Every structure is written in C-alpha cells, then in structure tokens.
C-alpha cells in the first residue's frame, strides 16, 4: 500500500487539478474534507454543483448572474447611454464599490492575447458590437487593465466601434490617490504629466 | 450590486473556509469551477461526497481505509509482532514507500499538544493500548516526528506501554542519508555522535 484509499486519492487528484493548488495542498484540503461532518461536506458539494448550474452570463452585458438579464441591465436607475467595458466580472464589483459610476457594463471575459492564443472570437466582443448597434449607447469607456494586453484590447475594440459613431474613452492614467510620488514608476509619472489638468 | 450572484458568493465562502485558502484564491477557484463543464463539476462534487462517505479509520490500526480492517492489518505477509506508531496517515505511506518495514502500524491522528488543547483523549492512544493488551505484540516503534510535541507524545505513550512488558523503541536520529554535514543543525549532529555505531 503506497497510496491512500482510492476515493481519497481521487479527491486529492481533483483538488490538485485546481489552479494554484499543488499536491501537498491538495492532500491537506482532502484531509480537511474528511475531518468535516457529513452535513458540511454535502453542503460544500452542493455549493459547487449549484453555483455551476445557476450562474451564467447575462444575455446583455455578459456579467455573471443567476437571471437571464442581470440586475444592473434590468435597472431603471442606471444611465443606459454609457457602457463601461471590463475584462473580468470582478472588475464590475470594483466599480460598483466605488459608487460613482452609474452606467451599464460589458464584461469581455478575458483580453486579447496572441501569446495565449486568445483572439477576438474568444472574448465577448461580438456581443458588445450588437449592443453598440442596437441600444441607445452614446459612450463606451474602455476599462481594461493598463497593461500591454489590456491596452491592445482597448485599442482593437475602439477601432471596431468607430463606424457606430459612438464616443470611445479610456480610463485616466495617473498617480493613485493617497499614494506617494516616491513609489510611482516612470511610465505612470510620465502619463500623469501628460494628462495634467488645470487647477 | 457589490457582490457576485449569491450561489457564487456561497461557493467562494466555502472555498475560503478551507485551510490555507484566502479570499482571492477562493474567488479564483470558484471561477475555475464555473469555467468547467457540467460533467467535470459534478464529478468534483461526487469525489468530495464519496471520499467522505467511504473513507474512515481501520478498526485496528486507525489508518484511513475504505474497508472495516485495512489491507495492511488484514495481510498475512506482515510481521504482526511489531507496531510502528505514527501521528498521521501520510506517515504510513512514507514507510511503505521505503519498502523496508514489514510490521503493522498504528495511526494516532495527531500528537499531544497542550498549546492546542490536544490531550490523550483526543488522539488514538486508547486503541493502541487495546492492541498492546490483546495482540501478539512484542515491540512498538515510536515514529512520531522528532519535534517537541512528537517527542512528548512518544515519551507519554512509552510510559503507558511499560506495564505490558513490550519492547518500546524510537526511530534513530542522525544525519540524513545523502545530505551534507555542512547543513546539519547542532541538535542533529549531537544526536548523531551520541548514537554512533561501530564500523
């Protein structure tokens, strides 16, 4: 016997297949499961199955939701003339926490990345163009991350939006509020000077 | 909306409750689950439930098994006169991989630890005493870890075994095979000198 019982080995394999979980961590997680009560274990398993079965993408903005159309897209209180394009569902939460933005969103579920073979067909660009064509959209804010792939994705999409005669903007770059100039990198400092505003 | 859909939040909570998994990792794991197929997700959930329901402790040695008595305790090929006492099921695997030891095991499922309020009643000491009284045991090897708690546990159990007139031994301390003296700590070096053998 140089292995744990097969059902336990199987569970360790499943945990080890999760991103960022190595063999040792997987073992620890499996032992943790064994140490829990039957009820706790069943509710963990149920949580996995029901998240998968009830969460899907909003048919409009592609954000994660349990409904056909998500609460933000359904809301009467949101400004429907403006769409903020983000790469991931968690980015929507970040903006919502800020309580400043009151428009709609569009979640791409990724960014263009030739290195990882992610092309325009692999992220939700087509769905954005459909909205640009149909809805009362006046402005699209590109809010992908300020890294190479995020920039390239923003540029690519902004070109596709040209024919729709919609204003396309990009989030401002600059010094983060509350940070220290000493720790700002050169690229950020240069962008902050370029984008300076009159006081 | 400053939260993900409730079933997704629930799944994130479950992952975050696992040992060593923070909030951000829990989110990543939950998104990974959403990105898998229905079948994969169901087989993950099944693995959790079936490991919990079919794995339990061997009624003799307390090692994890799917049977009432584990394959090692059942085997006719093992030396039943000797029991190796380890703290965790994974330690059994380590010895079995070594292919040298051919006796039986006893898994304590922990070590005595006053700091963590783990006393003699919380680990499988009673079951070991029952075996010492009933079985044809001639020697017990204490193979808990060579740290403070492992040492204290070995000492405590060896005293309990005194009345049974059984030989109690401890794993040898010394320089690990294939290692370099340069990297050996003082305690290990001192133990290696104390336990030196004639060539």
């Amino acid at each position: 016997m140089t292995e744990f019982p097969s059902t336990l080995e199987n569970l360790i394999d499943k945990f080890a297949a999760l991103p960022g979980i190595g063999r040792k961590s997987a073992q620890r997680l499996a032992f943790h499961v064994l140490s829990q009560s039957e009820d706790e274990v069943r509710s963990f398993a149920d949580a996995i199955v029901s998240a998968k079965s009830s969460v899907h993408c909003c048919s409009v903005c592609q954000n994660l939701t349990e409904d056909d159309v998500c609460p933000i897209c359904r809301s009467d209180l949101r400004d429907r003339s403006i769409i903020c394009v983000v790469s991931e569902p968690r980015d929507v939460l970040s903006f919502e926490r800020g309580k400043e933005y009151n428009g709609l969103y569009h979640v791409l579920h990724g960014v263009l990345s030739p290195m990882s073979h992610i092309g325009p067909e692999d992220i939700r660009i087509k769905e954005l163009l459909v909205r640009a064509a149909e809805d009362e959209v006046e402005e699209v804010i590109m809010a992908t991350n300020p890294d190479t792939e995020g920039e390239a994705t923003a540029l690519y999409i902004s070109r596709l939006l040209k024919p729709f005669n919609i204003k396309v903007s990009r989030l401002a770059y600059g010094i983060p509020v509350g940070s220290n100039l000493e720790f700002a990198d050169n690229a950020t400092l240069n962008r902050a000077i370029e984008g300076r505003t009159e006081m």
Side-chain angles (χ1 to χ4, degrees), chain A:
Chain A
M1 196 202 74
T2 51
E3 278 202 333
F4 292 115
S6 61
T7 48
L8 178 54
E9 283 289 337
N10 182 35
L11 179 57
I12 295 172
D13 289 344
K14 297 287 183 196
F15 276 126
L18 296 175
I21 307 282
R23 193 84 201 158
K24 288 273 173 192
S25 306
Q27 264 189 26
R28 198 175 48 195
L29 296 179
F31 281 118
H32 178 80
V33 166
L34 292 186
S35 73
Q36 287 182 309
S37 73
E38 294 265 355
D39 280 354
E40 285 171 315
V41 170
R42 194 161 292 278
S43 102
F44 179 32
D46 286 347
I48 291 169
V49 171
S50 68
K52 174 64 188 174
S53 64
S54 44
V55 177
H56 47 254
C57 294
C58 168
S59 61
V60 179
C61 74
Q62 311 299 320
N63 192 10
L64 296 175
T65 179
E66 293 170 1
D67 312 310
D68 176 43
V69 175
C70 78
I72 293 179
C73 288
R74 275 202 319 261
S75 167
D76 290 336
L77 303 167
R78 314 284 304 207
D79 179 352
R80 312 189 75 81
S81 69
I82 183 163
I83 295 177
C84 178
V85 178
V86 295
S87 63
E88 300 295 340
R90 61 171 172 268
D91 299 328
V92 173
L93 297 202
S94 302
F95 280 107
E96 289 297 292
R97 259 184 239 115
K99 291 192 172 63
E100 173 80 21
Y101 180 72
N102 193 38
L104 303 179
Y105 294 95
H106 190 86
V107 181
L108 296 172
H109 291 276
V111 284
L112 299 176
S113 172
M115 299 280 284
S116 317
H117 304 284
I118 299 174
E121 291 299 309
D122 302 314
I123 61 177
R124 313 293 171 90
I125 293 178
K126 204 172 61 231
E127 292 82 352
L128 176 64
L129 299 183
V130 170
R131 295 176 72 184
E134 286 179 0
D135 298 358
E136 61 268 60
V137 184
E138 291 168 17
E139 179 174 357
V140 169
I141 305 176
M142 297 307 309
T144 49
N145 281 323
D147 53 20
T148 321
E149 294 175 343
E151 288 294 339
T153 307
L155 194 65
Y156 180 86
I157 294 177
S158 70
R159 281 181 190 155
L160 292 181
L161 289 171
K162 272 269 158 62
F164 295 98
N165 205 13
I166 291 172
K167 181 179 170 192
V168 180
S169 56
R170 182 89 176 101
L171 286 187
Y173 289 99
I175 311 296
V177 175
S179 78
N180 194 317
L181 281 185
E182 188 181 348
F183 305 120
D185 61 293
N186 292 341
T188 304
L189 269 183
N190 291 343
R191 294 292 200 119
I193 291 174
E194 278 172 36
R196 68 191 180 278
T197 56
E198 207 165 333
M199 292 186 68

